[in-house]
Amino acid sequence: MEFAAFLYLAVVVLLLIGTSKKAKLWFGSIYGAMITIFIAGTLTIKYQTGFFDTAKSAWRSGEAPETLGSWVVPFYIIAAIALLVLINFRLIKKALYSEGAVKWVFIILAGLLSLLYVVAAYLGLFIVGFLFFPFAP
């Protein structure tokens, strides 16, 4: 989970390459703080539920994954929306500085990419939910 958070932050840093210093400061601080809070929360919950003390099989057999899932799922939704905002910010900013037909290509690309992203994020939410909450007896 922490690895996925660092991977998310790496994607954000890659998306911030080429933006203004003001945009890097705003987006970088917001996303950095979000990831820091997420990692601190997950490690705290893991420590409180005995993840580091017991065997992982004993930890998974209890209700600890559901407790952790109640922290991870909202952050997944917030992080997915925030990443979509950053992707659209980059594409729309590129479209604003383009001329003619290229401008409309970027706008249409932003719409199609947003649609694909929402579908992929929804499937990802299902996977995250499946990892933390039992669906079958």
Side-chain angles (χ1 to χ4, degrees), residues 2-134:
E2 291 80 13
F3 177 73
F6 284 121
L7 186 64
Y8 177 84
L9 194 58
V11 169
V12 167
V13 168
L14 287 175
L15 284 171
L16 288 177
I17 293 175
T19 59
S20 67
K21 286 185 180 184
K22 187 177 181 180
K24 285 180 187 175
L25 179 67
W26 277 98
F27 283 114
S29 5
I30 290 170
Y31 290 79
M34 199 168 59
I35 294 303
T36 303
I37 291 169
F38 174 75
I39 290 174
T42 56
L43 290 176
T44 302
I45 291 172
K46 283 181 178 181
Y47 177 73
Q48 289 175 348
T49 56
F51 179 80
F52 301 112
D53 296 337
T54 60
K56 288 185 183 180
S57 61
W59 185 79
R60 288 185 183 148
S61 65
E63 293 187 14
E66 291 180 16
T67 305
L68 186 59
S70 65
W71 174 261
V72 171
V73 170
F75 261 94
Y76 175 83
I77 294 169
I78 292 168
I81 292 170
L83 189 61
L84 181 61
V85 166
L86 183 59
I87 291 169
N88 282 335
F89 171 78
R90 288 297 307 244
L91 286 173
I92 303 250
K93 192 85 156 174
K94 188 86 168 168
L96 290 176
Y97 291 116
S98 301
E99 294 182 14
V102 176
K103 175 185 278 191
W104 291 105
V105 168
F106 279 118
I107 291 172
I108 291 170
L109 181 65
L112 289 175
L113 194 61
S114 295
L115 183 64
L116 289 173
Y117 182 85
V118 167
V119 169
Y122 183 71
L123 290 174
L125 180 61
F126 175 75
I127 291 169
V128 168
F130 187 75
L131 289 174
F132 291 106
F133 301 104

